[in-house]
Amino acid sequence: MLKHKLLDAILLALVVLAALFFYKFVSGNKELEETVNLQALKSNSLVEEIGQTKQENYELFQRLNESQRKVEELKDIVEYLAQAIKGPRITPVLIEQIESPKIARPTEALPPSDTFNFLLVGQNGNLADSIMIAAVDSNKQKLTLISIPRDLFINGRKMSEYLSWYGIDILKEKVEAVSGLKIHKYAAINFQAFENIIDALGGIDVYVEKDIYDEQYPDGAGGVTLYAVKTASYHFSGAEALKYSRSRHSTSDFDRAKRQQKVLKAIQERVINFDFLKNTNGLRAIYEGIFNMVETDISLAEMIEYLARFQSFAVSGDNVLSTADFLNSSMTISGQYILLPKSGNFVKIQKYISGLLN
């Protein structure tokens, strides 16, 4: 009996010892697991910090490279303009084509002939506020501006709406269908870029031929304000030139298109007389204004080449399709104001434009 009790006591002691050992083992493992997890968290945090630091260093490195690249580009531009504007015409442009978020690489080279056409679009938000063709004839050293009304109706939609609904390529197609001309290059410029470029040139000189008193001029905040200017000669800033170009409620869209052509001619005259070598800040402002706020398929190299080639060409303006010649005012079923060709098609318009250029 005593023997059995002693054996039971020994077994109980062994069970207690085993339980204690197991408890310590489990507790030790939990502490070890907690320690390992803590170290893992610290390691992950350190890795993230190192990764962030590497990313920040990489971004700083990229910005530094971008700044150095822009300095080199501006240096190239100044050197090129020194030859192109002050000296005889040079042929190949030595500046590399530059990528930009808004400026695509050219998908089509200009034709080998000396006549080609640019589409110039004044962009108000997503809408085409003004639509103009600049037809270049190098043999005659002539640049002909032709304005197409934004309210012209084609294939069930206004010209101004094609940009926002379908993009610049479809707008180009519609301009080609109306004019009969092949559009080789385009530039869509917003209002801020327009102002910036004129300000960078030091303003433009414009003669206002008749008074403008517009009580409905957009104030940029969803309302309207008064814009008034008397007949006289002015030196316009970018903001003043924009108002002169946009105002239409006291005149008409057709008169506005003529004023826009006049402003383009004034910009050309300013470019001819602008000393880019002494005004590198102005050159930088033009460069940044173009590359940040203009959508185009013209590369920087081509832009400089065009400046050198076309700056002294004679500009033929006042060519505006209107109700005085080819168009009739009308309304859609929903009451939207539109313009339609008087003849029912664009044949007469195409003959007129062909006559301007030949």
Side-chain angles (χ1 to χ4, degrees):
M1 185 70 142
L2 182 60
K3 195 173 183 181
H4 285 295
K5 287 184 178 180
L6 183 60
L7 185 60
D8 289 341
I10 292 171
L11 288 173
L12 180 61
L14 288 173
V15 169
V16 170
L17 287 173
L20 287 172
F21 176 78
F22 181 75
Y23 173 76
K24 287 186 177 182
F25 178 77
V26 172
S27 298
N29 280 351
K30 284 186 178 178
E31 290 176 3
L32 181 61
E33 183 181 358
E34 288 176 0
T35 302
V36 169
N37 287 339
L38 181 62
Q39 292 299 325
L41 287 173
K42 289 181 179 179
S43 298
N44 289 337
S45 176
L46 182 60
V47 168
E48 287 179 2
E49 289 178 8
I50 292 172
Q52 289 174 358
T53 303
K54 287 178 68 178
Q55 180 64 26
E56 289 172 0
N57 288 340
Y58 178 70
E59 290 173 358
L60 286 172
F61 178 72
Q62 282 188 316
R63 285 200 291 269
L64 177 61
N65 280 345
E66 179 68 12
S67 299
Q68 290 175 340
R69 185 179 67 82
K70 286 192 174 183
V71 168
E72 291 301 319
E73 289 168 9
L74 288 172
K75 181 181 175 183
D76 286 343
I77 293 171
V78 170
E79 290 175 354
Y80 181 83
L81 288 174
Q83 300 175 64
I85 295 176
K86 299 298 182 182
R89 174 183 169 184
I90 56 179
T91 41
V93 177
L94 301 179
I95 304 171
E96 294 181 356
Q97 292 180 348
I98 298 168
E99 294 282 8
S100 170
K102 287 195 170 184
I103 298 191
R105 281 194 179 276
T107 55
E108 176 184 5
L110 287 175
S113 67
D114 289 321
T115 58
F116 39 89
N117 309 303
F118 297 93
L119 174 62
L120 306 177
V121 179
Q123 196 169 348
N124 180 13
N126 292 325
L127 295 174
D129 193 66
S130 63
I131 303 168
M132 193 182 304
I133 300 171
V136 177
D137 188 328
S138 294
N139 291 327
K140 297 178 181 178
Q141 294 199 335
K142 178 183 174 183
L143 195 154
T144 303
L145 301 176
I146 305 157
S147 291
I148 297 176
R150 61 182 182 173
D151 293 322
L152 183 59
F153 204 67
I154 176 172
N155 298 130
R157 198 171 294 284
K158 285 185 178 185
M159 292 290 291
S160 62
E161 297 173 336
Y162 276 101
L163 184 65
S164 58
W165 280 87
Y166 304 108
I168 191 68
D169 289 334
I170 301 301
L171 177 60
K172 283 169 58 180
E173 289 180 9
K174 301 309 174 186
V175 170
E176 290 176 343
V178 170
S179 65
L181 299 177
K182 171 67 177 175
I183 299 299
H184 301 102
K185 296 287 181 179
Y186 76 88
I189 180 170
N190 66 30
F191 294 154
Q192 189 59 57
F194 179 84
E195 288 187 26
N196 290 351
I197 291 169
I198 290 177
D199 286 339
L201 289 169
I204 57 173
D205 297 316
V206 175
Y207 178 72
V208 176
E209 295 179 347
K210 57 184 178 182
D211 297 355
I212 297 176
Y213 189 85
D214 185 354
E215 296 179 306
Q216 304 281 323
Y217 187 84
D219 64 2
V224 295
T225 187
L226 172 66
Y227 170 65
V229 62
K230 294 286 187 181
T231 300
S233 294
Y234 293 91
H235 185 76
F236 281 154
S237 66
E240 292 165 337
L242 179 63
K243 290 179 179 179
Y244 178 69
S245 300
R246 287 195 69 197
S247 177
R248 68 187 180 93
H249 288 282
S250 64
T251 54
S252 70
D253 255 3
F254 311 125
D255 181 66
R256 187 179 77 138
K258 290 182 180 180
R259 281 185 268 120
Q260 290 167 355
Q261 292 185 8
K262 182 183 290 188
V263 166
L264 279 183
K265 187 170 183 178
I267 291 174
Q268 182 215 25
E269 291 171 354
R270 186 65 178 163
V271 167
I272 293 173
N273 298 312
F274 190 79
D275 192 339
F276 287 96
L277 299 180
K278 292 182 180 178
N279 294 276
T280 53
N281 288 335
L283 180 62
R284 177 186 288 274
I286 293 172
Y287 170 80
E288 292 177 349
I290 289 173
F291 273 76
N292 292 333
M293 301 176 189
V294 176
E295 180 183 352
T296 182
D297 59 354
I298 303 170
S299 70
L300 177 61
E302 289 173 320
M303 202 173 294
I304 296 172
E305 174 70 7
Y306 301 154
L307 174 64
R309 291 175 60 189
F310 309 146
Q311 61 171 325
S312 59
F313 279 22
V315 177
S316 171
D318 291 340
N319 305 307
V320 179
L321 304 181
S322 73
T323 52
D325 39 46
F326 302 104
L327 306 175
N328 275 330
S329 299
S330 185
M331 291 281 210
T332 63
I333 296 175
S334 61
Q336 185 184 40
Y337 174 78
I338 59 173
L339 294 167
L340 296 170
K342 290 179 179 179
S343 62
N345 56 48
F346 300 110
V347 174
K348 288 186 177 180
I349 290 175
Q350 293 171 1
K351 287 182 178 178
Y352 163 73
I353 291 176
S354 178
L356 288 175
L357 306 181
N358 298 316

